[in-house]
Each structure stands twice: as structure tokens, then as C-alpha cells.
Amino acid sequence: MRKSIFFTLCALISFCGLGTVAAPATPELQLDKRFLNLPVKNKAPKQRLKLLVEGQVAREFEIELAERDPDFWAFLDLSAFRGKRAILQADKLPADSRALEAIELSDQIKDARNLYQEALRPQFHFSSRRGWNNDPNGLVFYQGEYHLFYQHNPYGWEWGNMHWGHAVSPDLVHWTELPIALYPRQFGDWVFSGSAVVDRANTAGFQTGKEAPLVAAYTSTGRGECIAYSNDRGRTWAEFSGNPVVRHEGRDPRLLWHGPTKRWVMAVYDELDGKRWIAFHTSADLKQWRLESRIEGFYECPDLFELPVDGKRREKLWVLTAASSEYRLGTFDGRQFTPQTPMLPGHRGNAFYAAQTYSDIPARDRRRIQIGWGQIATPGMPFNQMMTFPCELTLRSTPSGPRLCFQPVKELQRLHATRRTQSRMNLAPGTNALVGIRGELFDLRAQFAVGATGEVRFVVRGMPVIYDAAKQELACADRRNPLAPVNGKVRLQILADRTSLEIFGNDGLLYMPMAGKFTPEDHTLALTVTGLPVRFDSIEVNELRSIWPMKEVQR
């Protein structure tokens, strides 16, 4: 049952630095419901709201509050304050404003009826229930759960109010969104990107029960690099009392355990002398940190991990990468990264940034799994942006040396529905090999022999993906990338969601995450060729199921 809150005019309210304005405010509220539903109007004047619980500021944020006809409803989770009394204050509303009257206390998220079913909602990529998301943070596996934390504005469609959102999955495919993990300490001191690990040996001394602590490192924009910990599988978090643990001009700490030196490592973006670096700090206890070295040329959101070359456990290289996904291969002794390659290209698409790989994947699994920020806007929706589909990273030998490869995790097969295959066929010009196949969500795979000329054209809901045999290039939208045949053949895999294509060439030597520029009413597929007939070893089309059953709505 919803409870409407009626706001009356009060005396003048003044926020520090904002001057004094006439504004409405609440009478005292009894927080006996879980959510405070907030009407949002994109591009409306921003209001700064304070929730005072028993006289103390508990939450403070900016919001484009709707006077009427909201574009969507954001929500503030009140679980931590249930049963207490509170006051909500706004800083700049005129005295005749009625915006606060629409705010509701409820045990339900308002307009949840269509949650996950919205027209532009990605159907097998993670996106937040409401508001904005960007960088994935704190990717860690523990007790059967893959944790996905992420940069999140819970109260608006655009970037701002940075919190750590939180979701978990048993299989990297189906996600349950949990309450926000990390809130800003105060307005303006935002919770920027970072990472998480399992402190199995309790080196920090945070453990209080039987569960091993999860430890997160994040950037507090007002203080520096900070540590938080959880003793209940990431459901609640406490700050380390000695924060910040590193002070510098930088952000985005990446934690990892270095076994040979028995030390924790923090790889963190650093700005010094007008240059951009990745700095390496070490610690025995996650509390006291020592600067060891720096390497120049990387920007934001570093990641550092070791991979076998061609799966050979005795032949390994370290990968150092950052937000752009460009990377260098080399060695790492726990204190210093020594590169053996120049900077190498990572993804080649137009919708990927600030990726991170999972910590603490079980030894029996051994995969290095990455998720990136899918930079794809969703106008008119109550959410904005998404995550890319989880990929397994490997190092594979090529004529130019070892190279990083990206492939969708095998759990994708759990979404396969109708499957259609063709094998050993010669496709002649003027023939559509996929005629009659319709849908929205696809896992499309093909292997074909390459001639000296001609094109192989895949068209997914009106969006072309074209292989040019003469140029040995793969083109999609505004991207053209080299893709040389391997033993005279090209392998392609294309994942199609409502707003994106993720294209994998030659088992991930080429990775193109792309914003989908689809024709809305076109749900067809096409596969045609130009020039001479093309020999296809295999063509496989898998329609995919959505990951969003309605039972997820209120969890």
C-alpha cells in the first residue's frame, strides 16, 4: 500500500555555499516503508535533497525533480533507517513548487510493472534498474556468487552522485540487483572506481565470523584511496577507520594478491609532473601501503593479471591494461612491471571502456573473466548505459607475438533457445542464407573461406557487418578493423541485443563492442555475398532468451 507524503511550506532553508532561498520541506516522516520514490524530469533544474534521520544527514544528493509528468521514478532505499523518523529538505525549490508532493513512501518501486521489459532494456546484458551506470567495480567471486559493483547514479539518467551499485550472479548471465553497497560519506565526496578481493588469510584482521572478508578499495574523491570491508558476503560494508590509505593525485585502485612475494599489490592511476602513470603500491595487511614504482602511458582504471600463453602453465606473461583496454605484456615481480611489448590495441569497437577482470576465480576454473562498461545511451528510458557481456581473456601466439583474445564466456549457452545450422554450403551472390529468420536476440556464428575479392555481408536488424576479402577488413558502423584470415578462413561470432552488437573475429583476436543502430521495426537477419560464391564451413544461428524474468523485479 502506497503512502503519499504531503509537504507544507516551512521557514527558510540554507545550505552552505548556496545562499538562502524560500523552499518547501517535509513534516517529520515515519520511515515505515522500504522506498522513497522520487519523480525525475530530465533537464529540469537540479535540486539538492537532504534526508535527515533523527537530526543527522543520512543521504544527500542532486536530482532533477519533476514538477509534473515525470520521465521516470528513481528510488531511495530506506532499509537502513526503518522505524526511524526523518525530514527531507530541498535547497532551491520555489515556494509555490508542488514537486515534493508527488514523492511517495512505499514498499514497492514505483512503475515496477514494466521493470526489465522496457523497449530499450538490454535483454542479456546487465543494466541497473533505475538511473545511470558506468565503470564496473569490485569484480570478485566468493561462495558461488559473481559480484558486480559499478559506478551508479541512483537518482538521475546522467552521470553524477557516484555510488557503488551492486548485483550478483550465480553464472555470469542471470543477475540480481542488490541494495547499493557504498554510499558517499558526504555530498561531494563521491565513491569513484575501485576493486575488491577476498582476504582469505584475514591479513587485515577485519574478519568477525566464519565468512572470509571481502575487501574493497575505492577512490573517495574528497580523501584519497580508501578501504571498506564486508563480513556478510558483500551485503553490508564498513569503512576502515584509518582511511585514506593512499593520498595522491589519482584514482581507481586495483587490488591483487602477489603469491611469490606474499604481498598485496595496489595498481592505481597516478598523475605526477603533468604525466599519466600507473603506480604500484604493496602491503602486507591492506592497511599500510608503500609506493614501489610507476610506469607511464596508461590512463584510468588499471588492471593487472597474469595469463598463460596458448594455455601453457609454464609460459606466462603479465598483462597491464587500463580504461581504453590498450595493453602491454611483460613481467611483474610484485613491485615493478617490466614491459616486453609496445602498447597493443585492445577492443576495436565504439562502446567499451573501463573494463575490469574478476578476482578470486577458483583455481579449478582458471579463467580470467572481464566485464566492461557498455557506453550505450538509452533515451526515454528510466536507466542509462549497460555492461558488456562477460568475456574470457586468453593469450594466443600470432606471427606478431602473443596477443590478447576476447571470447564470450561459455555460460552464454544457457541462453540458447532455437538453434539453426547449415554446413558445407556454397553461397552464391543474390542469395540470403538466413532468409525467414526473425527476432531480437541472437548468437550468430559462421566460418567461411576467403577469396581474393568480394564481400561477406551480415545484416542484423538493418545493421550491416561486412567482411572485405580484398582489404582483409571487418567493418561495422563507424569502425573498420583489420582481420586477416587464419589458414585461409575467417571465423565470426556476433551477439545481438536490443541496443548492441558484440563482434568477435577469429576466436576473439578482434573484439568489436558496438552500439546498435538498428531499424526498430526490422527483426530480420541476412547473410549474402558479392563477387564469386563463398564456401561456408558452418553457419549457426542461436536465438537467445532474456535474462530478466519478472520474479527479479522486487528482489
Side-chain angles (χ1 to χ4, degrees):
M1 175 178 172
R2 293 172 180 163
K3 183 184 290 185
S4 182
I5 305 171
F6 182 76
F7 297 84
T8 59
L9 296 180
C10 75
L12 298 178
I13 299 170
S14 177
F15 285 0
C16 180
L18 293 175
T20 301
V21 294
T26 71
E28 196 170 57
L29 306 175
Q30 181 68 35
L31 302 184
D32 55 358
K33 303 292 183 182
R34 180 175 177 184
F35 299 111
L36 194 64
N37 287 304
L38 304 161
V40 177
K41 188 71 174 179
N42 293 326
K43 306 303 181 183
K46 286 185 179 179
Q47 305 298 327
R48 188 157 148 191
L49 294 189
K50 281 185 179 180
L51 181 72
L52 287 79
V53 178
E54 298 184 345
Q56 300 297 314
V57 176
R59 301 285 184 258
E60 187 174 4
F61 52 91
E62 287 186 325
I63 185 170
E64 295 169 331
L65 205 58
E67 285 286 343
R68 61 184 64 85
D69 302 324
D71 290 327
F72 68 95
W73 289 82
F75 62 89
L76 173 59
D77 193 329
L78 301 171
S79 299
F81 315 116
R82 195 145 193 163
K84 297 184 178 181
R85 295 185 176 274
I87 291 175
L88 189 68
Q89 294 180 343
D91 69 328
K92 291 186 293 189
L93 286 174
D96 62 349
S97 171
R98 301 182 66 85
L100 295 180
E101 294 181 25
I103 295 175
E104 293 182 356
L105 275 171
S106 175
D107 279 326
Q108 307 297 321
I109 297 170
K110 192 173 178 69
D111 284 352
R113 179 180 64 258
N114 295 321
L115 194 56
Y116 302 121
Q117 312 304 312
E118 302 93 340
L120 296 182
R121 174 73 70 176
Q123 292 297 289
F124 61 92
H125 293 80
F126 176 81
S127 55
S128 195
R129 287 177 288 190
R130 295 284 190 269
W132 164 278
N133 78 258
N134 55 288
D135 309 357
N137 297 155
L139 302 190
V140 63
F141 180 86
Y142 181 66
Q143 296 285 62
E145 290 182 323
Y146 295 90
H147 291 264
L148 168 61
F149 303 91
Y150 55 94
Q151 292 286 278
H152 183 36
N153 179 3
Y155 314 115
W157 190 80
E158 296 182 328
W159 186 94
N161 297 312
M162 285 294 104
H163 298 56
W164 269 29
H166 188 194
V168 293
S169 173
D171 59 5
L172 290 165
V173 175
H174 300 91
W175 296 95
T176 299
E177 188 170 341
L178 299 179
I180 287 168
L182 299 180
Y183 284 88
R185 184 179 63 130
Q186 62 186 34
F187 187 86
D189 185 2
W190 305 120
V191 185
F192 271 20
S193 289
S195 57
V197 292
V198 182
D199 186 8
R200 298 185 186 281
N202 194 28
T203 62
F206 292 143
Q207 186 169 343
T208 58
K210 295 182 179 180
E211 297 283 356
L214 300 185
V215 179
Y218 67 94
T219 299
S220 161
T221 60
R223 293 175 290 167
E225 312 311 337
C226 291
I227 294 293
Y229 58 94
S230 172
N231 280 297
D232 58 3
R233 296 169 46 244
R235 270 53 181 182
T236 60
W237 292 81
E239 269 216 20
F240 169 48
S241 60
N243 281 335
V245 296
V246 173
R247 294 180 184 270
H248 67 134
E249 294 298 322
R251 55 188 176 273
D252 312 330
R254 177 61 164 107
L255 298 178
L256 63 144
W257 174 254
H258 189 257
T261 58
K262 294 181 171 56
R263 288 288 186 274
W264 295 102
V265 175
M266 179 191 293
V268 62
Y269 173 64
D270 205 19
E271 293 180 348
L272 184 68
D273 299 330
K275 298 179 180 179
R276 296 171 172 177
W277 311 79
I278 300 301
F280 302 98
H281 301 252
T282 61
S283 174
D285 62 3
L286 291 162
K287 299 175 179 178
Q288 302 294 323
W289 292 88
R290 173 181 173 179
L291 174 64
E292 300 286 0
S293 65
R294 292 185 178 92
I295 184 171
E296 191 182 354
F298 293 85
Y299 180 63
E300 294 190 326
C301 302
D303 202 356
L304 177 65
F305 49 90
E306 191 177 31
L307 285 176
V309 179
D310 299 323
K312 301 174 183 176
R313 296 189 187 183
R314 295 185 179 181
E315 185 180 347
K316 295 182 178 181
L317 288 170
W318 284 83
V319 181
L320 178 62
T321 183
S324 70
S325 91
E326 292 181 319
Y327 66 97
R328 299 184 76 173
L329 303 177
T331 60
F332 182 67
D333 63 5
R335 295 176 174 84
Q336 182 172 349
F337 179 83
T338 303
Q340 297 179 351
T341 69
M343 195 72 78
L344 300 170
H347 82 92
R348 303 290 190 94
N350 64 11
F352 187 92
Y353 197 70
Q356 189 174 118
T357 59
Y358 269 90
S359 300
D360 295 276
I361 296 294
R364 64 182 179 275
D365 187 324
R366 298 199 306 271
R367 288 181 296 173
R368 177 60 58 171
I369 298 168
Q370 183 186 72
I371 296 177
W373 166 24
Q375 297 171 301
I376 300 174
T378 51
M381 298 293 105
F383 62 93
N384 192 7
Q385 313 291 302
M386 69 175 202
M387 296 299 169
T388 58
F389 194 78
C391 284
E392 180 181 359
L393 304 186
T394 56
L395 281 178
R396 192 192 318 164
S397 294
T398 75
S400 300
R403 293 295 182 264
L404 199 58
C405 295
F406 307 74
Q407 289 184 283
V409 293
K410 62 187 178 183
E411 287 86 348
L412 173 66
Q413 295 179 4
R414 299 185 180 196
L415 300 180
H416 283 184
T418 303
R419 180 172 179 259
R420 300 175 177 87
T421 62
Q422 301 181 58
S423 59
R424 298 184 181 87
M425 67 169 293
N426 289 318
L427 183 60
T431 302
N432 176 11
L434 305 181
V435 66
I437 300 177
R438 299 177 60 83
E440 275 192 309
L441 315 176
F442 292 105
D443 174 7
L444 171 64
R445 311 181 190 199
Q447 177 173 297
F448 53 91
V450 176
T453 61
E455 292 181 345
V456 175
R457 300 175 60 92
F458 299 82
V459 183
V460 181
R461 298 185 55 210
M463 187 170 178
V465 179
I466 302 170
Y467 185 76
D468 186 318
K471 295 180 179 179
Q472 296 187 355
E473 285 184 344
L474 189 69
C476 181
D478 60 348
R479 294 292 188 270
R480 298 186 70 92
N481 293 301
L483 184 62
V486 176
N487 298 322
K489 296 181 179 181
V490 170
R491 290 173 62 90
L492 288 180
Q493 182 174 5
I494 302 171
L495 303 186
D497 205 339
R498 283 185 178 174
T499 61
S500 65
L501 288 182
E502 288 184 84
I503 306 166
F504 304 83
N506 290 341
D507 299 315
L509 277 171
L510 173 64
Y511 174 42
M512 295 174 62
M514 303 292 295
K517 297 182 179 180
F518 301 123
T519 304
E521 65 277 6
D522 187 348
H523 286 184
T524 63
L525 293 179
L527 172 54
T528 60
V529 301
T530 65
L532 297 174
V534 174
R535 176 71 172 178
F536 281 81
D537 296 330
S538 60
I539 302 170
E540 180 179 327
V541 180
N542 297 282
E543 293 186 57
L544 300 178
R545 303 182 184 91
S546 171
I547 65 172
W548 299 125
M550 288 303 291
K551 69 179 181 180
E552 297 283 7
V553 169
Q554 291 299 327
R555 294 188 64 175

